[in-house]
Amino acid sequence: MKKNIKSYNLDELKEEFIKLGEKPYRAEQVFKWIHQENVTSFNEMTNISLELREKLDKEFTMCIYNIIRKQESIDGTKKYLFDVLDGNAIETVLMEYKHGKSICVSSQIGCKMGCKFCASTGIEFVRSLTPGEIIEQVLAVQRDENIKISNLVFMGIGEPLDNYDNVMKAIQILNNPKGINMGARHISISTSGLVPKIYELADKDIQCTLSISLHATTDELRSALMPVNNAYNIEELMKACRYYIEKTNKRISFEYALAKDNNDNLEDAKRLVKLLKGMLCHVNLIPINKIENGKFTKSTNENILKFRDYLNDNGIVATVRRELGSDIDAACGQLRRKNL
Ligand code: SAH
């Protein structure tokens, strides 16, 4: 099988070129064609000899996604269903903010985590995406819209820390100034709470933002909502978060999806304050999004604001996340991997 050229960082690509008997600077030219010029075939790389272009075409694939479907929300959010070229499909979302364009990428085909409120649950886990398959989501959207994307969040389908090595590699490739040149500060990783990987990430000390999907303040409720809590409970998760903050001196963002009569009462807010008191953090409140057959409904607006105000009044910075794309099922937790 041909290798995906988008999975190579620049150093590795240079090594591949040396193996092919080519000069390393040629690898840099090709890297630029791929990540900056965003061409779709080796043939378009006009400063490369025809012979080398043919050689590359034999060795590598460019991994160019087909768009199976594109939907646009009334708020401008766009959702893509991509054919990842092996019979599978994934969703990717493009959002517009005042500060630029932000992409929400998938890290896996399906998800193993089994969170009860998420649409990615209940579809079979197929496999993790390779670095190149993560990168191609960015490049495919940039090509389609003829834009430059400034921010990226790993909040699509999958658990990014369950695909740790490929996600780290994708970030390294995204960062490269000779490529897409997206700074790590513009990248967020969201995790359901894979504790050992949070420690690993802390020790790696990259400048990404870490988001933790917390969603509950007692082990009983969190385990009922998120099976991962049976493996790593809230106390262990908080310990890992404190380590992360101490090590990186970076603020953690806690995501808390508010579901009516589930996790949205004052007692929950009080426990949340206790859990997070004194931590360098921010709470992102998400009015829970409805999923097909889901048993959760959004908290009332009044409750959402009460919850937020209680946190803010008690020293925890909390904001309510703007809902984008819910009319096209592109909001948090609504992504799937099939055209259903
Ligand atoms: N697996 C990672 C990233 C994917 S989900 C994680 O769990 O963090 C991105 C965010 O959407 C997570 O915070 C997730 O808990 C949240 N989410 C899932 N389903 C949701 C729903 N129905 N409404 C609101 N947020 C949801």
Side-chain angles (χ1 to χ4, degrees):
M1 214 171 82
K2 286 202 237 177
K3 300 171 277 189
N4 180 351
I5 200 158
K6 288 175 180 160
S7 282
Y8 290 80
N9 66 33
L10 186 50
D11 286 342
E12 291 167 342
L13 200 60
K14 285 181 182 167
E15 277 166 33
E16 288 291 311
F17 273 55
I18 292 167
K19 275 192 234 152
L20 289 173
E22 296 291 336
K23 295 252 164 14
Y25 81 91
R26 290 280 174 211
E28 203 166 305
Q29 288 177 322
V30 168
F31 192 81
K32 281 186 182 161
W33 278 114
I34 295 169
H35 299 279
Q36 290 189 342
E37 301 303 324
N38 204 351
V39 296
T40 56
S41 69
F42 291 109
N43 223 3
E44 290 165 76
M45 303 180 179
T46 47
N47 58 357
I48 305 288
S49 72
L50 191 59
E51 192 199 339
L52 177 53
R53 283 185 244 162
E54 280 169 0
K55 223 195 280 183
L56 292 175
D57 204 28
K58 279 208 192 92
E59 288 280 321
F60 299 100
T61 134
M62 290 277 293
C63 178
I64 302 297
Y65 285 168
N66 304 314
I67 300 171
I68 302 173
R69 187 179 63 193
K70 180 181 176 185
Q71 289 166 278
E72 185 161 353
S73 157
I74 41 169
D75 62 36
T77 298
K78 285 156 192 150
K79 183 171 78 167
Y80 292 84
L81 183 72
F82 287 123
D83 162 14
V84 296
L85 311 172
D86 68 347
N88 288 298
I90 48 156
E91 290 189 324
T92 303
V93 178
L94 175 69
M95 294 159 291
E96 292 206 22
Y97 292 99
K98 275 195 278 319
H99 58 265
K101 295 186 199 291
S102 187
I103 189 171
C104 175
V105 297
S106 292
S107 55
Q108 298 181 312
I109 301 174
C111 186
K112 296 182 207 158
M113 306 316 293
C115 302
K116 296 288 186 292
F117 43 80
C118 180
S120 303
T121 295
I123 46 175
E124 180 203 356
F125 174 80
V126 181
R127 63 175 177 87
S128 285
L129 295 176
T130 62
E133 291 176 314
I134 295 170
I135 299 284
E136 171 59 5
Q137 293 173 61
V138 178
L139 293 175
V141 172
Q142 292 197 154
R143 278 196 307 272
D144 180 60
E145 287 272 314
N146 199 16
I147 51 163
K148 174 93 181 123
I149 292 167
S150 51
N151 296 275
L152 181 145
V153 296
F154 282 98
M155 292 191 189
I157 301 163
E159 167 52 53
L161 296 190
D162 184 41
N163 185 19
Y164 186 85
D165 291 343
N166 289 346
V167 165
M168 291 305 129
K169 177 90 167 288
I171 292 173
Q172 190 196 38
I173 297 169
L174 286 163
N175 289 165
N176 196 321
K178 293 182 173 136
I180 294 171
N181 193 19
M182 184 188 285
R185 279 169 212 279
H186 297 271
I187 298 174
S188 293
I189 299 176
S190 179
T191 179
S192 55
L194 292 184
V195 164
K197 294 293 173 190
I198 296 173
Y199 284 105
E200 219 175 306
L201 191 63
D203 290 334
K204 203 170 164 69
D205 197 14
I206 50 171
Q207 292 299 314
C208 295
T209 302
L210 178 63
S211 294
I212 304 284
S213 298
L214 187 58
H215 305 315
T217 53
T218 65
D219 279 325
E220 196 189 350
L221 181 61
R222 194 164 190 272
S223 295
L225 295 174
M226 306 176 69
V228 65
N229 199 70
N230 292 308
Y232 311 107
N233 66 20
I234 295 180
E235 193 187 329
E236 290 170 87
L237 178 59
M238 287 303 143
K239 205 170 140 203
C241 289
R242 282 190 290 269
Y243 178 82
Y244 179 90
I245 294 169
E246 198 183 289
K247 231 14 239 267
T248 64
N249 208 18
K250 286 186 66 74
R251 179 182 304 267
I252 288 183
S253 174
F254 287 96
E255 292 161 288
Y256 195 98
L258 287 161
K260 188 160 179 269
D261 301 329
N262 182 261
N263 61 358
D264 68 340
N265 65 39
L266 189 61
E267 289 310 307
D268 292 295
K270 281 183 181 162
R271 280 191 296 264
L272 192 53
V273 167
K274 263 208 196 120
L275 270 182
L276 303 183
K277 198 96 206 170
M279 271 171 101
L280 184 62
C281 72
H282 169 265
V283 174
N284 228 317
L285 296 169
I286 317 169
I288 205 160
N289 289 301
K290 192 124 194 86
I291 61 166
E292 210 182 319
N293 302 327
K295 61 181 178 122
F296 303 102
T297 45
K298 257 188 212 7
S299 304
T300 60
N301 269 345
E302 191 192 343
N303 244 10
I304 293 171
L305 296 181
K306 253 198 217 156
F307 203 96
R308 181 199 63 188
D309 292 344
Y310 183 84
L311 296 180
N312 282 326
D313 291 346
N314 287 278
I316 308 290
V317 183
T319 49
V320 179
R321 183 180 286 174
R322 239 176 86 210
E323 284 174 83
L324 288 175
S326 55
D327 58 326
I328 53 164
D329 285 346
C332 296
Q334 297 186 313
L335 299 191
R336 312 180 58 94
R337 62 171 187 88
K338 275 218 172 83
N339 190 0
L340 295 174

